[in-house]
Amino acid sequence: AVGGPALLEIVPTPAEEQWPLLVHQPQMIERIKRICQMGGGVLDQGDTPVGANAYEIALLSLGSVLNCCDAVVEGRVRRAFSAGRPPGHHAEPDRPMGFCVLSNVAIAARYLQKRHGVGRVAIVDFDVHLGNGTQACLEDDPSVLFVSLHQHPRTCYPRSGHEWETGTGAGRGYTLNIPFQPGAEDQDYLKVMEERVIPAIDEFRPEMLLISAGFDAHRDDPLADINLSEEGFEMMTRQLVAVAEKHCGGRIVSALEGGYNLRALGRSVVRHLVALNSPLDRQG
């Protein structure tokens, strides 16, 4: 957690089983538990192998994000980062996928609304892959703005996240997908942040900002073809801190998503934390 010049460690506790049901179908949860009870296996499309304790660990990872939400809403810190795995943003209402078991950030948005009475929640996902699970869980809801910056779906998993995907029903217009061509660099992302992402958040005026912080858009990551640097992640985070200060008292919860080059991941997370703990936070 980030609350001033020093970092405050929050010890995670497993989420209660009621919270995943805010976005996931009960039969999906039961299927995961059954596979784990059998000793493990492969969930859904063959891209999410799990062991016997996977559901337990998924609840702990989710609990880390929800503990961060509690700390921020209760005023113990202003910004918090959950370094949990498994990640969550590919898990859809009815199926795990893409290394993700539970849709952590989507659940966190609903948790903030149900448990803490937060109204409008904005989510910015800069993982190199679309957060298709987050989108599927929330795309019909005008109280949640979902913004995803990702490599173009024609060239990257999960093959969705086109600009024309803008939400459904009452939520139409509250999903903003921004795909980038392979080879995009820091300046491309920072320009889009300034010209499209920040204005969208300004118009929405969230009461809380969530970040799906995947660092697999790093130039050294093996799973995609975007060329961001650690400095690029820091600068994007600083932009998000500034807009959170403007609309929601600086309140941010960030959750780790992808990142598959461990050196690049570690260095990028450090720069993300530096930005979350920026001087803006120490002026109040």
Side-chain angles (χ1 to χ4, degrees), residues 2-45:
V2 181
L7 298 181
L8 172 67
E9 182 178 0
I10 298 173
V11 178
T13 57
E16 298 175 11
E17 291 196 82
Q18 63 178 305
W19 300 123
L21 295 174
L22 292 175
V23 305
H24 291 298
Q25 297 177 2
Q27 54 268 37
M28 168 187 152
I29 302 299
E30 290 306 313
R31 187 169 71 251
I32 296 168
K33 292 167 71 172
R34 185 169 61 251
I35 290 173
C36 291
Q37 289 166 359
M38 294 170 60
V42 179
L43 303 176
D44 193 56
Q45 299 175 332

mmCIF file of all heavy atoms in Angstrom, residues 2-45:
data_model
loop_
_atom_site.group_PDB
_atom_site.id
_atom_site.type_symbol
_atom_site.label_atom_id
_atom_site.label_comp_id
_atom_site.label_asym_id
_atom_site.label_seq_id
_atom_site.Cartn_x
_atom_site.Cartn_y
_atom_site.Cartn_z
ATOM 1 N N VAL A 2 0.360 2.322 -0.565
ATOM 2 C CA VAL A 2 1.117 3.543 -0.711
ATOM 3 C C VAL A 2 0.391 4.648 0.027
ATOM 4 O O VAL A 2 -0.761 4.936 -0.253
ATOM 5 C CB VAL A 2 1.275 3.900 -2.205
ATOM 6 C CG1 VAL A 2 2.096 5.159 -2.359
ATOM 7 C CG2 VAL A 2 1.921 2.740 -2.956
ATOM 8 N N GLY A 3 1.038 5.252 0.993
ATOM 9 C CA GLY A 3 0.340 6.246 1.790
ATOM 10 C C GLY A 3 1.188 7.436 2.157
ATOM 11 O O GLY A 3 0.828 8.240 3.005
ATOM 12 N N GLY A 4 2.340 7.629 1.588
ATOM 13 C CA GLY A 4 3.221 8.733 1.924
ATOM 14 C C GLY A 4 4.627 8.362 1.527
ATOM 15 O O GLY A 4 4.832 7.528 0.660
ATOM 16 N N PRO A 5 5.613 8.950 2.178
ATOM 17 C CA PRO A 5 7.001 8.640 1.815
ATOM 18 C C PRO A 5 7.364 7.172 2.007
ATOM 19 O O PRO A 5 8.207 6.643 1.307
ATOM 20 C CB PRO A 5 7.812 9.540 2.750
ATOM 21 C CG PRO A 5 6.865 10.645 3.113
ATOM 22 C CD PRO A 5 5.512 10.023 3.162
ATOM 23 N N ALA A 6 6.738 6.510 2.979
ATOM 24 C CA ALA A 6 7.037 5.108 3.237
ATOM 25 C C ALA A 6 5.934 4.222 2.681
ATOM 26 O O ALA A 6 4.820 4.672 2.431
ATOM 27 C CB ALA A 6 7.192 4.873 4.739
ATOM 28 N N LEU A 7 6.263 2.942 2.496
ATOM 29 C CA LEU A 7 5.269 1.972 2.056
ATOM 30 C C LEU A 7 4.721 1.236 3.273
ATOM 31 O O LEU A 7 5.471 0.847 4.163
ATOM 32 C CB LEU A 7 5.889 0.976 1.081
ATOM 33 C CG LEU A 7 6.428 1.545 -0.227
ATOM 34 C CD1 LEU A 7 6.983 0.415 -1.098
ATOM 35 C CD2 LEU A 7 5.353 2.304 -0.974
ATOM 36 N N LEU A 8 3.424 1.034 3.290
ATOM 37 C CA LEU A 8 2.755 0.289 4.347
ATOM 38 C C LEU A 8 2.379 -1.074 3.792
ATOM 39 O O LEU A 8 1.679 -1.161 2.784
ATOM 40 C CB LEU A 8 1.501 1.033 4.811
ATOM 41 C CG LEU A 8 0.589 0.281 5.779
ATOM 42 C CD1 LEU A 8 1.282 0.074 7.124
ATOM 43 C CD2 LEU A 8 -0.727 1.033 5.965
ATOM 44 N N GLU A 9 2.833 -2.128 4.426
ATOM 45 C CA GLU A 9 2.503 -3.471 3.967
ATOM 46 C C GLU A 9 1.164 -3.908 4.541
ATOM 47 O O GLU A 9 0.933 -3.815 5.750
ATOM 48 C CB GLU A 9 3.589 -4.465 4.386
ATOM 49 C CG GLU A 9 3.314 -5.880 3.882
ATOM 50 C CD GLU A 9 4.400 -6.868 4.242
ATOM 51 O OE1 GLU A 9 5.375 -6.466 4.887
ATOM 52 O OE2 GLU A 9 4.268 -8.050 3.863
ATOM 53 N N ILE A 10 0.297 -4.392 3.674
ATOM 54 C CA ILE A 10 -0.991 -4.953 4.080
ATOM 55 C C ILE A 10 -0.924 -6.457 3.872
ATOM 56 O O ILE A 10 -0.669 -6.919 2.752
ATOM 57 C CB ILE A 10 -2.154 -4.354 3.260
ATOM 58 C CG1 ILE A 10 -2.253 -2.844 3.492
ATOM 59 C CG2 ILE A 10 -3.471 -5.030 3.609
ATOM 60 C CD1 ILE A 10 -3.264 -2.163 2.601
ATOM 61 N N VAL A 11 -1.121 -7.210 4.924
ATOM 62 C CA VAL A 11 -1.060 -8.664 4.814
ATOM 63 C C VAL A 11 -2.386 -9.158 4.239
ATOM 64 O O VAL A 11 -3.450 -8.889 4.797
ATOM 65 C CB VAL A 11 -0.805 -9.313 6.183
ATOM 66 C CG1 VAL A 11 -0.786 -10.844 6.054
ATOM 67 C CG2 VAL A 11 0.518 -8.817 6.770
ATOM 68 N N PRO A 12 -2.350 -9.861 3.095
ATOM 69 C CA PRO A 12 -3.603 -10.283 2.455
ATOM 70 C C PRO A 12 -4.300 -11.394 3.221
ATOM 71 O O PRO A 12 -3.659 -12.226 3.870
ATOM 72 C CB PRO A 12 -3.156 -10.759 1.073
ATOM 73 C CG PRO A 12 -1.744 -11.195 1.274
ATOM 74 C CD PRO A 12 -1.169 -10.275 2.318
ATOM 75 N N THR A 13 -5.612 -11.383 3.126
ATOM 76 C CA THR A 13 -6.433 -12.472 3.665
ATOM 77 C C THR A 13 -7.323 -12.988 2.551
ATOM 78 O O THR A 13 -7.692 -12.229 1.643
ATOM 79 C CB THR A 13 -7.304 -11.996 4.832
ATOM 80 O OG1 THR A 13 -8.122 -10.893 4.398
ATOM 81 C CG2 THR A 13 -6.441 -11.530 6.001
ATOM 82 N N PRO A 14 -7.674 -14.271 2.562
ATOM 83 C CA PRO A 14 -8.513 -14.805 1.479
ATOM 84 C C PRO A 14 -9.866 -14.098 1.423
ATOM 85 O O PRO A 14 -10.457 -13.751 2.451
ATOM 86 C CB PRO A 14 -8.680 -16.283 1.857
ATOM 87 C CG PRO A 14 -7.541 -16.573 2.787
ATOM 88 C CD PRO A 14 -7.281 -15.309 3.532
ATOM 89 N N ALA A 15 -10.353 -13.882 0.213
ATOM 90 C CA ALA A 15 -11.684 -13.306 0.035
ATOM 91 C C ALA A 15 -12.749 -14.303 0.462
ATOM 92 O O ALA A 15 -12.596 -15.517 0.290
ATOM 93 C CB ALA A 15 -11.884 -12.916 -1.424
ATOM 94 N N GLU A 16 -13.827 -13.792 1.010
ATOM 95 C CA GLU A 16 -14.979 -14.641 1.298
ATOM 96 C C GLU A 16 -15.595 -15.119 -0.015
ATOM 97 O O GLU A 16 -15.587 -14.409 -1.021
ATOM 98 C CB GLU A 16 -16.012 -13.874 2.116
ATOM 99 C CG GLU A 16 -15.509 -13.409 3.471
ATOM 100 C CD GLU A 16 -16.528 -12.552 4.189
ATOM 101 O OE1 GLU A 16 -17.698 -12.491 3.738
ATOM 102 O OE2 GLU A 16 -16.160 -11.932 5.202
ATOM 103 N N GLU A 17 -16.158 -16.299 -0.001
ATOM 104 C CA GLU A 17 -16.643 -16.919 -1.237
ATOM 105 C C GLU A 17 -17.840 -16.205 -1.850
ATOM 106 O O GLU A 17 -18.166 -16.432 -3.011
ATOM 107 C CB GLU A 17 -16.964 -18.390 -0.985
ATOM 108 C CG GLU A 17 -15.734 -19.245 -0.736
ATOM 109 C CD GLU A 17 -16.026 -20.734 -0.863
ATOM 110 O OE1 GLU A 17 -16.043 -21.228 -2.001
ATOM 111 O OE2 GLU A 17 -16.255 -21.368 0.173
ATOM 112 N N GLN A 18 -18.481 -15.317 -1.080
ATOM 113 C CA GLN A 18 -19.612 -14.581 -1.657
ATOM 114 C C GLN A 18 -19.170 -13.575 -2.710
ATOM 115 O O GLN A 18 -19.933 -13.265 -3.633
ATOM 116 C CB GLN A 18 -20.348 -13.834 -0.542
ATOM 117 C CG GLN A 18 -19.497 -12.775 0.153
ATOM 118 C CD GLN A 18 -20.259 -12.003 1.216
ATOM 119 O OE1 GLN A 18 -21.309 -11.434 0.934
ATOM 120 N NE2 GLN A 18 -19.732 -11.992 2.427
ATOM 121 N N TRP A 19 -17.940 -13.061 -2.606
ATOM 122 C CA TRP A 19 -17.565 -11.953 -3.480
ATOM 123 C C TRP A 19 -17.366 -12.360 -4.929
ATOM 124 O O TRP A 19 -17.769 -11.607 -5.834
ATOM 125 C CB TRP A 19 -16.344 -11.231 -2.913
ATOM 126 C CG TRP A 19 -16.598 -10.666 -1.541
ATOM 127 C CD1 TRP A 19 -15.897 -10.936 -0.398
ATOM 128 C CD2 TRP A 19 -17.641 -9.759 -1.151
ATOM 129 N NE1 TRP A 19 -16.431 -10.263 0.671
ATOM 130 C CE2 TRP A 19 -17.513 -9.522 0.239
ATOM 131 C CE3 TRP A 19 -18.674 -9.125 -1.830
ATOM 132 C CZ2 TRP A 19 -18.357 -8.685 0.947
ATOM 133 C CZ3 TRP A 19 -19.527 -8.294 -1.126
ATOM 134 C CH2 TRP A 19 -19.371 -8.084 0.238
ATOM 135 N N PRO A 20 -16.750 -13.500 -5.258
ATOM 136 C CA PRO A 20 -16.682 -13.873 -6.676
ATOM 137 C C PRO A 20 -18.051 -13.969 -7.346
ATOM 138 O O PRO A 20 -18.178 -13.741 -8.554
ATOM 139 C CB PRO A 20 -15.978 -15.237 -6.650
ATOM 140 C CG PRO A 20 -15.145 -15.192 -5.418
ATOM 141 C CD PRO A 20 -15.957 -14.418 -4.421
ATOM 142 N N LEU A 21 -19.076 -14.286 -6.548
ATOM 143 C CA LEU A 21 -20.414 -14.437 -7.118
ATOM 144 C C LEU A 21 -21.028 -13.105 -7.536
ATOM 145 O O LEU A 21 -22.088 -13.085 -8.164
ATOM 146 C CB LEU A 21 -21.330 -15.147 -6.110
ATOM 147 C CG LEU A 21 -20.929 -16.592 -5.790
ATOM 148 C CD1 LEU A 21 -21.807 -17.154 -4.673
ATOM 149 C CD2 LEU A 21 -21.012 -17.475 -7.026
ATOM 150 N N LEU A 22 -20.366 -11.993 -7.231
ATOM 151 C CA LEU A 22 -20.834 -10.705 -7.726
ATOM 152 C C LEU A 22 -20.717 -10.612 -9.244
ATOM 153 O O LEU A 22 -21.459 -9.847 -9.874
ATOM 154 C CB LEU A 22 -20.021 -9.565 -7.089
ATOM 155 C CG LEU A 22 -20.213 -9.343 -5.589
ATOM 156 C CD1 LEU A 22 -19.252 -8.260 -5.098
ATOM 157 C CD2 LEU A 22 -21.649 -8.959 -5.274
ATOM 158 N N VAL A 23 -19.785 -11.387 -9.839
ATOM 159 C CA VAL A 23 -19.626 -11.321 -11.293
ATOM 160 C C VAL A 23 -19.614 -12.700 -11.959
ATOM 161 O O VAL A 23 -19.808 -12.790 -13.174
ATOM 162 C CB VAL A 23 -18.342 -10.562 -11.712
ATOM 163 C CG1 VAL A 23 -18.304 -9.176 -11.086
ATOM 164 C CG2 VAL A 23 -17.086 -11.330 -11.353
ATOM 165 N N HIS A 24 -19.371 -13.767 -11.193
ATOM 166 C CA HIS A 24 -19.228 -15.097 -11.790
ATOM 167 C C HIS A 24 -20.450 -15.968 -11.531
ATOM 168 O O HIS A 24 -21.101 -15.853 -10.486
ATOM 169 C CB HIS A 24 -17.990 -15.808 -11.239
ATOM 170 C CG HIS A 24 -16.699 -15.205 -11.668
ATOM 171 N ND1 HIS A 24 -16.307 -15.136 -12.994
ATOM 172 C CD2 HIS A 24 -15.698 -14.623 -10.953
ATOM 173 C CE1 HIS A 24 -15.129 -14.539 -13.070
ATOM 174 N NE2 HIS A 24 -14.737 -14.218 -11.848
ATOM 175 N N GLN A 25 -20.730 -16.860 -12.465
ATOM 176 C CA GLN A 25 -21.832 -17.789 -12.315
ATOM 177 C C GLN A 25 -21.478 -18.878 -11.299
ATOM 178 O O GLN A 25 -20.341 -19.373 -11.278
ATOM 179 C CB GLN A 25 -22.179 -18.423 -13.657
ATOM 180 C CG GLN A 25 -22.669 -17.424 -14.690
ATOM 181 C CD GLN A 25 -22.932 -18.059 -16.037
ATOM 182 O OE1 GLN A 25 -22.790 -19.268 -16.217
ATOM 183 N NE2 GLN A 25 -23.317 -17.237 -17.011
ATOM 184 N N PRO A 26 -22.419 -19.268 -10.444
ATOM 185 C CA PRO A 26 -22.122 -20.279 -9.422
ATOM 186 C C PRO A 26 -21.574 -21.576 -10.005
ATOM 187 O O PRO A 26 -20.689 -22.199 -9.412
ATOM 188 C CB PRO A 26 -23.481 -20.502 -8.735
ATOM 189 C CG PRO A 26 -24.242 -19.242 -8.981
ATOM 190 C CD PRO A 26 -23.803 -18.744 -10.331
ATOM 191 N N GLN A 27 -22.079 -21.985 -11.177
ATOM 192 C CA GLN A 27 -21.611 -23.254 -11.751
ATOM 193 C C GLN A 27 -20.144 -23.187 -12.166
ATOM 194 O O GLN A 27 -19.437 -24.201 -12.147
ATOM 195 C CB GLN A 27 -22.483 -23.681 -12.935
ATOM 196 C CG GLN A 27 -22.658 -22.674 -14.030
ATOM 197 C CD GLN A 27 -23.881 -21.798 -13.844
ATOM 198 O OE1 GLN A 27 -24.227 -21.413 -12.724
ATOM 199 N NE2 GLN A 27 -24.569 -21.488 -14.960
ATOM 200 N N MET A 28 -19.651 -21.997 -12.524
ATOM 201 C CA MET A 28 -18.233 -21.848 -12.834
ATOM 202 C C MET A 28 -17.395 -22.065 -11.577
ATOM 203 O O MET A 28 -16.383 -22.779 -11.598
ATOM 204 C CB MET A 28 -17.954 -20.459 -13.406
ATOM 205 C CG MET A 28 -16.463 -20.124 -13.472
ATOM 206 S SD MET A 28 -16.151 -18.417 -13.971
ATOM 207 C CE MET A 28 -14.578 -18.116 -13.148
ATOM 208 N N ILE A 29 -17.806 -21.463 -10.484
ATOM 209 C CA ILE A 29 -17.070 -21.619 -9.222
ATOM 210 C C ILE A 29 -17.053 -23.081 -8.798
ATOM 211 O O ILE A 29 -16.009 -23.619 -8.384
ATOM 212 C CB ILE A 29 -17.684 -20.740 -8.125
ATOM 213 C CG1 ILE A 29 -17.693 -19.263 -8.537
ATOM 214 C CG2 ILE A 29 -16.942 -20.942 -6.804
ATOM 215 C CD1 ILE A 29 -16.329 -18.679 -8.803
ATOM 216 N N GLU A 30 -18.184 -23.740 -8.922
ATOM 217 C CA GLU A 30 -18.254 -25.151 -8.525
ATOM 218 C C GLU A 30 -17.360 -26.007 -9.413
ATOM 219 O O GLU A 30 -16.749 -26.968 -8.935
ATOM 220 C CB GLU A 30 -19.705 -25.638 -8.587
ATOM 221 C CG GLU A 30 -20.594 -25.028 -7.510
ATOM 222 C CD GLU A 30 -20.027 -25.221 -6.111
ATOM 223 O OE1 GLU A 30 -19.617 -26.371 -5.794
ATOM 224 O OE2 GLU A 30 -19.959 -24.245 -5.350
ATOM 225 N N ARG A 31 -17.269 -25.674 -10.699
ATOM 226 C CA ARG A 31 -16.410 -26.443 -11.605
ATOM 227 C C ARG A 31 -14.936 -26.284 -11.225
ATOM 228 O O ARG A 31 -14.172 -27.258 -11.220
ATOM 229 C CB ARG A 31 -16.644 -25.992 -13.048
ATOM 230 C CG ARG A 31 -15.911 -26.859 -14.085
ATOM 231 C CD ARG A 31 -16.372 -26.539 -15.487
ATOM 232 N NE ARG A 31 -15.923 -25.250 -15.966
ATOM 233 C CZ ARG A 31 -16.700 -24.182 -16.141
ATOM 234 N NH1 ARG A 31 -17.996 -24.257 -15.870
ATOM 235 N NH2 ARG A 31 -16.225 -23.039 -16.587
ATOM 236 N N ILE A 32 -14.535 -25.071 -10.896
ATOM 237 C CA ILE A 32 -13.153 -24.846 -10.459
ATOM 238 C C ILE A 32 -12.856 -25.643 -9.201
ATOM 239 O O ILE A 32 -11.820 -26.330 -9.098
ATOM 240 C CB ILE A 32 -12.904 -23.345 -10.217
ATOM 241 C CG1 ILE A 32 -13.034 -22.549 -11.515
ATOM 242 C CG2 ILE A 32 -11.524 -23.125 -9.599
ATOM 243 C CD1 ILE A 32 -13.078 -21.042 -11.303
ATOM 244 N N LYS A 33 -13.750 -25.570 -8.237
ATOM 245 C CA LYS A 33 -13.534 -26.276 -6.967
ATOM 246 C C LYS A 33 -13.461 -27.786 -7.189
ATOM 247 O O LYS A 33 -12.619 -28.476 -6.591
ATOM 248 C CB LYS A 33 -14.654 -25.923 -5.986
ATOM 249 C CG LYS A 33 -14.614 -24.475 -5.529
ATOM 250 C CD LYS A 33 -15.887 -24.047 -4.830
ATOM 251 C CE LYS A 33 -16.050 -24.678 -3.481
ATOM 252 N NZ LYS A 33 -17.210 -24.082 -2.754
ATOM 253 N N ARG A 34 -14.295 -28.288 -8.079
ATOM 254 C CA ARG A 34 -14.311 -29.734 -8.343
ATOM 255 C C ARG A 34 -13.001 -30.185 -8.990
ATOM 256 O O ARG A 34 -12.432 -31.222 -8.605
ATOM 257 C CB ARG A 34 -15.495 -30.083 -9.238
ATOM 258 C CG ARG A 34 -15.680 -31.581 -9.481
ATOM 259 C CD ARG A 34 -17.010 -31.879 -10.149
ATOM 260 N NE ARG A 34 -17.139 -31.247 -11.446
ATOM 261 C CZ ARG A 34 -17.932 -30.222 -11.716
ATOM 262 N NH1 ARG A 34 -18.668 -29.677 -10.750
ATOM 263 N NH2 ARG A 34 -18.010 -29.711 -12.936
ATOM 264 N N ILE A 35 -12.511 -29.415 -9.954
ATOM 265 C CA ILE A 35 -11.242 -29.770 -10.609
ATOM 266 C C ILE A 35 -10.094 -29.727 -9.600
ATOM 267 O O ILE A 35 -9.213 -30.604 -9.600
ATOM 268 C CB ILE A 35 -10.982 -28.840 -11.802
ATOM 269 C CG1 ILE A 35 -11.986 -29.148 -12.926
ATOM 270 C CG2 ILE A 35 -9.550 -28.985 -12.320
ATOM 271 C CD1 ILE A 35 -11.943 -28.175 -14.085
ATOM 272 N N CYS A 36 -10.101 -28.733 -8.733
ATOM 273 C CA CYS A 36 -9.052 -28.658 -7.713
ATOM 274 C C CYS A 36 -9.145 -29.830 -6.734
ATOM 275 O O CYS A 36 -8.113 -30.403 -6.340
ATOM 276 C CB CYS A 36 -9.147 -27.331 -6.963
ATOM 277 S SG CYS A 36 -8.689 -25.883 -7.959
ATOM 278 N N GLN A 37 -10.358 -30.206 -6.355
ATOM 279 C CA GLN A 37 -10.528 -31.337 -5.441
ATOM 280 C C GLN A 37 -10.028 -32.636 -6.053
ATOM 281 O O GLN A 37 -9.612 -33.558 -5.330
ATOM 282 C CB GLN A 37 -11.999 -31.458 -5.042
ATOM 283 C CG GLN A 37 -12.466 -30.358 -4.110
ATOM 284 C CD GLN A 37 -13.992 -30.279 -3.988
ATOM 285 O OE1 GLN A 37 -14.715 -31.055 -4.630
ATOM 286 N NE2 GLN A 37 -14.480 -29.356 -3.188
ATOM 287 N N MET A 38 -10.041 -32.709 -7.379
ATOM 288 C CA MET A 38 -9.532 -33.897 -8.070
ATOM 289 C C MET A 38 -8.011 -33.868 -8.223
ATOM 290 O O MET A 38 -7.433 -34.789 -8.801
ATOM 291 C CB MET A 38 -10.194 -34.000 -9.447
ATOM 292 C CG MET A 38 -11.698 -34.254 -9.396
ATOM 293 S SD MET A 38 -12.482 -34.088 -11.023
ATOM 294 C CE MET A 38 -11.607 -35.348 -11.955
ATOM 295 N N GLY A 39 -7.380 -32.821 -7.719
ATOM 296 C CA GLY A 39 -5.929 -32.726 -7.783
ATOM 297 C C GLY A 39 -5.399 -31.751 -8.806
ATOM 298 O O GLY A 39 -4.193 -31.577 -8.946
ATOM 299 N N GLY A 40 -6.298 -31.114 -9.543
ATOM 300 C CA GLY A 40 -5.894 -30.131 -10.540
ATOM 301 C C GLY A 40 -6.205 -30.594 -11.947
ATOM 302 O O GLY A 40 -6.716 -31.690 -12.174
ATOM 303 N N GLY A 41 -5.922 -29.728 -12.898
ATOM 304 C CA GLY A 41 -6.207 -30.028 -14.295
ATOM 305 C C GLY A 41 -6.081 -28.769 -15.119
ATOM 306 O O GLY A 41 -5.364 -27.839 -14.744
ATOM 307 N N VAL A 42 -6.785 -28.716 -16.226
ATOM 308 C CA VAL A 42 -6.737 -27.560 -17.114
ATOM 309 C C VAL A 42 -8.141 -26.992 -17.231
ATOM 310 O O VAL A 42 -9.094 -27.712 -17.556
ATOM 311 C CB VAL A 42 -6.187 -27.936 -18.498
ATOM 312 C CG1 VAL A 42 -6.176 -26.715 -19.405
ATOM 313 C CG2 VAL A 42 -4.780 -28.506 -18.371
ATOM 314 N N LEU A 43 -8.272 -25.686 -16.966
ATOM 315 C CA LEU A 43 -9.554 -25.016 -17.054
ATOM 316 C C LEU A 43 -9.775 -24.470 -18.461
ATOM 317 O O LEU A 43 -8.845 -24.024 -19.124
ATOM 318 C CB LEU A 43 -9.618 -23.869 -16.049
ATOM 319 C CG LEU A 43 -9.389 -24.235 -14.580
ATOM 320 C CD1 LEU A 43 -9.394 -22.962 -13.723
ATOM 321 C CD2 LEU A 43 -10.449 -25.211 -14.080
ATOM 322 N N ASP A 44 -10.992 -24.516 -18.897
ATOM 323 C CA ASP A 44 -11.463 -23.884 -20.128
ATOM 324 C C ASP A 44 -10.659 -24.270 -21.363
ATOM 325 O O ASP A 44 -10.529 -25.442 -21.678
ATOM 326 C CB ASP A 44 -11.510 -22.364 -19.956
ATOM 327 C CG ASP A 44 -12.281 -21.685 -21.086
ATOM 328 O OD1 ASP A 44 -13.446 -22.053 -21.279
ATOM 329 O OD2 ASP A 44 -11.714 -20.854 -21.785
ATOM 330 N N GLN A 45 -10.051 -23.304 -22.049
ATOM 331 C CA GLN A 45 -9.527 -23.509 -23.391
ATOM 332 C C GLN A 45 -8.160 -24.187 -23.427
ATOM 333 O O GLN A 45 -7.526 -24.229 -24.468
ATOM 334 C CB GLN A 45 -9.433 -22.160 -24.110
ATOM 335 C CG GLN A 45 -10.770 -21.458 -24.268
ATOM 336 C CD GLN A 45 -10.613 -20.078 -24.872
ATOM 337 O OE1 GLN A 45 -9.586 -19.417 -24.728
ATOM 338 N NE2 GLN A 45 -11.646 -19.611 -25.556
#
